[in-house]
Amino acid sequence: MSRDGWASVPEPGDVEEEQEPGPEQEPGPGQEPEQEPDPSSEVETSRPCWKCREQVPARDPRCAACDSTRTHVLLICSDPCLELRHGPGAPLTLGRHPDWAPDTAAAFADRPKVSRRHVSITVEPDGRAWAEEPPEGSHNGTFINGAKLMPGVRTPLRDDDQLRLGLRISITVRLYGPDPG
């Protein structure tokens, strides 16, 4: 309002000055208050199943296509280039023997420092994972973060552990599940 009591109304084409942001103000007459976004209206996200790669909604504990749980372990090896995913159930075996370790025998075939039956990895439904050398052991040992495993003894794996087969094969452990150790 001007000093004479008249309100000044901008003419079409006039540019209004931008106001500095300040404390929140009450909405004026005819204005609706700003509303917070409704969390229930957010778009549901999904992720691919670790086993079959089908999309699984975040709220679902199991994949509808293959019935796998979200719980699994991911083993990443850079030399040889190898990425293994394994969930609860029978152990994943690592070694050079094609019958005992069908998932890794070809990758380790030219690695004589990896035993034919080197180590097995077990994943529990609750997200815990274990490494265990066979009772007869391995020729060059299995190590978790530098500590040697005892043959026939289940040893817990934790997220980001370094699993080493002999002195040269290094594998990073990633755990996924409700309580990944």
Side-chain angles (χ1 to χ4, degrees), residues 63-78:
C63 173
C66 70
D67 200 39
S68 293
T69 65
R70 293 184 180 280
T71 302
H72 68 283
V73 65
L74 170 63
L75 304 175
I76 305 165
C77 182
S78 60

Side-chain angles (χ1 to χ4, degrees), residues 40-145:
S40 65
S41 68
E42 290 181 17
V43 176
E44 182 176 351
T45 59
S46 63
R47 291 190 175 172
C49 172
W50 65 270
K51 192 171 187 179
C52 71
R53 309 310 293 165
E54 287 291 322
Q55 291 294 316
V56 181
R59 62 180 157 67
D60 292 348
R62 302 185 81 83
C63 173
C66 70
D67 200 39
S68 293
T69 65
R70 293 184 180 280
T71 302
H72 68 283
V73 65
L74 170 63
L75 304 175
I76 305 165
C77 182
S78 60
D79 184 28
C81 184
L82 186 63
E83 186 175 294
L84 298 166
R85 293 179 186 269
H86 188 70
L92 170 67
T93 49
L94 308 179
R96 292 184 299 117
H97 193 288
D99 293 334
W100 192 77
D103 295 325
T104 61
F108 295 140
D110 63 342
R111 310 292 172 126
K113 300 294 182 181
V114 174
S115 296
R116 291 171 54 76
R117 299 172 189 241
H118 207 105
V119 67
S120 62
I121 307 296
T122 306
V123 179
E124 303 290 337
D126 65 4
R128 292 179 295 160
W130 308 88
E132 182 178 355
E133 271 193 7
E136 62 274 8
S138 66
H139 289 289
N140 292 300
T142 304
F143 303 84
I144 297 175
N145 300 325

Side-chain angles (χ1 to χ4, degrees), residues 146-168:
K148 188 172 185 193
L149 268 63
M150 298 302 297
V153 176
R154 279 176 40 141
T155 305
L157 287 171
R158 306 244 185 290
D159 193 45
D160 247 359
D161 276 352
Q162 290 300 308
L163 177 68
R164 202 173 74 228
L165 310 181
L167 299 175
R168 295 202 168 95

